[in-house]
Amino acid sequence: MAELLQLLVNGLMAGTVLAVPAIGFTAIYAVLRFPNFALASHATIGAFGGYVANTAGGLPAWAAVAVAFAVAGLVGVLSDTFVLRPLRPAGAITTAIAAVALNIALENVVRFVFGNDHRGYDLPLQRDWQVAAIRIGPQQFQNLVIALIAMAAIFLFLALTRTGKAMRAVADNPTLANVKGVDADRVGRLVSFVGMGLAGVGGMLLGLDTSIDPLTGFRVILSVFAAAVVGGLGSIPGAVVGALTIGVAEELSLVALAPAYRSAVGFVAILLVLTLRPRGILGERAY
Amino acid sequence: MGVVTDPRPLLSVDGLVAGYTATDEILKSVELSLQAGEIVSIIGPNGAGKSTLLKVIAGILAPSRGSVHLRGVPIHGRRPREISALGVAFVPQEQNVFPTMTVRENLEMGGYVDPHGSRAKIDAIFTRFPPLAEKRRHAARTLSGGQRQILAMAMALMVEPAVLLLDEPSAGLAPAAAEKLFETIRAINQDGVSIAVVEQNALEALAIAQRGYIMVDGRNSRSGPAAELARDPDVRRIFLGG
Ligand SMILES: Nc1ncnc2c1ncn2[C@@H]1O[C@H](COP(=O)(O)OP(=O)(O)OP(=O)(O)O)[C@@H](O)[C@H]1O
Ligand SMILES: [Mg+2]
């Protein structure tokens, strides 16, 4: 029982962290209408950006997360503007395939610069906390808080700012947004920045728990995609619900499955949702 | 009736040719004029190009030939946001609201090009259309068909337009809701907004208009005073089933 509770707590914490890149993925899908699988390499790039700021720049982990956001967001805007945007008129499938190719290319850039070694962030050593029968790592907890702050920021941005509303308008009805004077290119750049920035934060948060290497993003992209699909592609609250579902399911799978089969959870979840409820739990509710 | 005799119309469309690809010609040659203060109805069979005409005027499509002038200034080929900022507001035939955004947010998006004073304008709209005020915090997709059309028009009013382009505002509405909508259109016109309205509901549309145009296959077929068109036996036979 206590073990199950521990897995549930771990799952909810992992799901909250997973929600950050899943929001990025789904936001990009909502506005640009293609699944941007290059999110994996952007998560890795963010993780390394944060790593440099943390180890060479001496920033504490929580501050280096902002660097992860900025670096991954910037690369996101550039890669979208120069690689993916010119291909979008050719359709979502072509663009998605190009995104996979872009992902491999960017991953190799990281490999070229940093090598294949696993690297760890500079973190103070801390003892785990014990709450009743549940164990929680302070770093895990900090990651949870950072993820919640990032999510709150994105929700406030979408709900309250003029630019955030314009972004939702494009997601809702791009033709009408054009009629009303919204600059779709600008919104496209913005969603690439924010979406890939969130991917970078996600990559770094995952790395803080373990270590980072050029495949950091690749290892989670299936879970990210599954979270977005389970919640309903294009729906931000859906991405949160989906990420929590996937996070908990992956942890609970450890009861029955060897850790190596954990990634099967995301795969099965995608298959189930696409067969039973193709629009996901929350459907196409963009916001 | 406010038919002004200014020789220069508020909006004029001349020899307009346009289509969705570089080669197709949906509009083959269209003329239209709208005087300040007027309501003009555009009727015609399905596929005649009525929506295409409004899309060209609104800047969503660029014409391959011909021109659109607003107060004598050419506006064809400009971007929707410029045309909207010049005072031409377009309410599309379908999908004319942002479904997951609230009524209030839809109005804010209506005034996106000019956010100054938008709070006061929204308050004025809520006073004028109480059902929208009641649903201000509800997502637009929860509105009834009639309320949705009112919202779409109210969004267009947020830019305080000189010209309002309406594409089949009564489509899909129950007769009572359509009736109410035509009343609203007339009231908006009485506030000084000139209106070009495309309608299937030809009789109703001609009843609120000063002049009418009949479009067939991308060209003008007939035009003239609305009352005359409504009496014309040919028009009645073709469009009114009478
Ligand atoms: N987005 C589009 N792409 C390509 N062709 C289009 C598009 N929209 C309309 N058409 C074509 O243009 C022609 C005119 O369409 P349009 O919508 O302007 O007609 P309409 O007079 O508004 O008809 P309705 O009364 O059905 O609304 C039709 O043949 C239609 O198939
Ligand atoms: Mg039409």
mmCIF file of all heavy atoms in Angstrom, chain A residues 225-243:
data_model
loop_
_atom_site.group_PDB
_atom_site.id
_atom_site.type_symbol
_atom_site.label_atom_id
_atom_site.label_comp_id
_atom_site.label_asym_id
_atom_site.label_seq_id
_atom_site.Cartn_x
_atom_site.Cartn_y
_atom_site.Cartn_z
ATOM 1 N N PHE A 225 4.459 13.295 -26.462
ATOM 2 C CA PHE A 225 3.477 13.142 -27.529
ATOM 3 C C PHE A 225 2.228 12.442 -26.985
ATOM 4 O O PHE A 225 1.098 12.857 -27.249
ATOM 5 C CB PHE A 225 4.107 12.338 -28.675
ATOM 6 C CG PHE A 225 3.237 12.202 -29.882
ATOM 7 C CD1 PHE A 225 2.632 13.308 -30.457
ATOM 8 C CD2 PHE A 225 3.023 10.947 -30.462
ATOM 9 C CE1 PHE A 225 1.827 13.181 -31.580
ATOM 10 C CE2 PHE A 225 2.220 10.814 -31.585
ATOM 11 C CZ PHE A 225 1.618 11.932 -32.146
ATOM 12 N N ALA A 226 2.454 11.379 -26.185
ATOM 13 C CA ALA A 226 1.326 10.645 -25.611
ATOM 14 C C ALA A 226 0.489 11.565 -24.725
ATOM 15 O O ALA A 226 -0.745 11.549 -24.789
ATOM 16 C CB ALA A 226 1.825 9.446 -24.808
ATOM 17 N N ALA A 227 1.144 12.395 -23.913
ATOM 18 C CA ALA A 227 0.412 13.302 -23.028
ATOM 19 C C ALA A 227 -0.458 14.243 -23.852
ATOM 20 O O ALA A 227 -1.635 14.465 -23.544
ATOM 21 C CB ALA A 227 1.397 14.106 -22.175
ATOM 22 N N ALA A 228 0.107 14.780 -24.939
ATOM 23 C CA ALA A 228 -0.641 15.716 -25.773
ATOM 24 C C ALA A 228 -1.811 15.021 -26.466
ATOM 25 O O ALA A 228 -2.915 15.563 -26.552
ATOM 26 C CB ALA A 228 0.291 16.370 -26.793
ATOM 27 N N VAL A 229 -1.577 13.806 -26.940
ATOM 28 C CA VAL A 229 -2.640 13.081 -27.640
ATOM 29 C C VAL A 229 -3.739 12.655 -26.664
ATOM 30 O O VAL A 229 -4.927 12.802 -26.953
ATOM 31 C CB VAL A 229 -2.071 11.851 -28.380
ATOM 32 C CG1 VAL A 229 -3.186 10.948 -28.881
ATOM 33 C CG2 VAL A 229 -1.192 12.293 -29.541
ATOM 34 N N VAL A 230 -3.329 12.158 -25.496
ATOM 35 C CA VAL A 230 -4.317 11.706 -24.515
ATOM 36 C C VAL A 230 -5.211 12.871 -24.099
ATOM 37 O O VAL A 230 -6.427 12.735 -23.990
ATOM 38 C CB VAL A 230 -3.613 11.081 -23.283
ATOM 39 C CG1 VAL A 230 -4.583 10.913 -22.124
ATOM 40 C CG2 VAL A 230 -3.011 9.735 -23.656
ATOM 41 N N GLY A 231 -4.629 14.044 -23.903
ATOM 42 C CA GLY A 231 -5.426 15.189 -23.477
ATOM 43 C C GLY A 231 -6.214 15.816 -24.614
ATOM 44 O O GLY A 231 -7.147 16.573 -24.386
ATOM 45 N N GLY A 232 -5.844 15.516 -25.850
ATOM 46 C CA GLY A 232 -6.480 16.163 -27.002
ATOM 47 C C GLY A 232 -5.488 17.125 -27.622
ATOM 48 O O GLY A 232 -5.233 18.189 -27.057
ATOM 49 N N LEU A 233 -4.924 16.765 -28.765
ATOM 50 C CA LEU A 233 -3.906 17.607 -29.411
ATOM 51 C C LEU A 233 -4.439 19.026 -29.592
ATOM 52 O O LEU A 233 -5.535 19.212 -30.105
ATOM 53 C CB LEU A 233 -3.560 17.035 -30.788
ATOM 54 C CG LEU A 233 -2.313 16.163 -30.898
ATOM 55 C CD1 LEU A 233 -2.133 15.710 -32.334
ATOM 56 C CD2 LEU A 233 -1.097 16.916 -30.403
ATOM 57 N N GLY A 234 -3.673 19.986 -29.179
ATOM 58 C CA GLY A 234 -4.090 21.375 -29.343
ATOM 59 C C GLY A 234 -4.749 21.948 -28.096
ATOM 60 O O GLY A 234 -5.011 23.132 -28.041
ATOM 61 N N SER A 235 -5.009 21.115 -27.113
ATOM 62 C CA SER A 235 -5.649 21.600 -25.889
ATOM 63 C C SER A 235 -4.630 21.700 -24.756
ATOM 64 O O SER A 235 -4.017 20.699 -24.369
ATOM 65 C CB SER A 235 -6.783 20.658 -25.486
ATOM 66 O OG SER A 235 -7.113 20.854 -24.124
ATOM 67 N N ILE A 236 -4.451 22.893 -24.213
ATOM 68 C CA ILE A 236 -3.456 23.080 -23.162
ATOM 69 C C ILE A 236 -3.882 22.453 -21.826
ATOM 70 O O ILE A 236 -3.101 21.709 -21.232
ATOM 71 C CB ILE A 236 -3.062 24.567 -23.052
ATOM 72 C CG1 ILE A 236 -2.195 24.883 -24.279
ATOM 73 C CG2 ILE A 236 -2.310 24.852 -21.765
ATOM 74 C CD1 ILE A 236 -1.794 26.316 -24.410
ATOM 75 N N PRO A 237 -5.119 22.682 -21.385
ATOM 76 C CA PRO A 237 -5.526 21.939 -20.184
ATOM 77 C C PRO A 237 -5.451 20.436 -20.434
ATOM 78 O O PRO A 237 -5.111 19.660 -19.531
ATOM 79 C CB PRO A 237 -6.975 22.368 -19.943
ATOM 80 C CG PRO A 237 -7.205 23.547 -20.785
ATOM 81 C CD PRO A 237 -6.194 23.568 -21.875
ATOM 82 N N GLY A 238 -5.756 20.035 -21.661
ATOM 83 C CA GLY A 238 -5.667 18.622 -22.028
ATOM 84 C C GLY A 238 -4.254 18.097 -21.863
ATOM 85 O O GLY A 238 -4.049 16.980 -21.368
ATOM 86 N N ALA A 239 -3.263 18.883 -22.250
ATOM 87 C CA ALA A 239 -1.872 18.446 -22.122
ATOM 88 C C ALA A 239 -1.524 18.210 -20.654
ATOM 89 O O ALA A 239 -0.786 17.276 -20.320
ATOM 90 C CB ALA A 239 -0.933 19.485 -22.732
ATOM 91 N N VAL A 240 -2.071 19.051 -19.778
ATOM 92 C CA VAL A 240 -1.795 18.883 -18.347
ATOM 93 C C VAL A 240 -2.437 17.587 -17.843
ATOM 94 O O VAL A 240 -1.784 16.762 -17.191
ATOM 95 C CB VAL A 240 -2.317 20.100 -17.546
ATOM 96 C CG1 VAL A 240 -2.116 19.880 -16.053
ATOM 97 C CG2 VAL A 240 -1.620 21.376 -18.000
ATOM 98 N N VAL A 241 -3.703 17.405 -18.189
ATOM 99 C CA VAL A 241 -4.409 16.175 -17.780
ATOM 100 C C VAL A 241 -3.696 14.955 -18.363
ATOM 101 O O VAL A 241 -3.458 13.953 -17.663
ATOM 102 C CB VAL A 241 -5.880 16.220 -18.264
ATOM 103 C CG1 VAL A 241 -6.567 14.875 -18.013
ATOM 104 C CG2 VAL A 241 -6.636 17.330 -17.560
ATOM 105 N N GLY A 242 -3.340 15.038 -19.636
ATOM 106 C CA GLY A 242 -2.657 13.926 -20.295
ATOM 107 C C GLY A 242 -1.318 13.630 -19.654
ATOM 108 O O GLY A 242 -0.960 12.461 -19.443
ATOM 109 N N ALA A 243 -0.573 14.665 -19.309
ATOM 110 C CA ALA A 243 0.755 14.457 -18.711
ATOM 111 C C ALA A 243 0.631 13.798 -17.342
ATOM 112 O O ALA A 243 1.402 12.900 -17.006
ATOM 113 C CB ALA A 243 1.496 15.793 -18.600
#
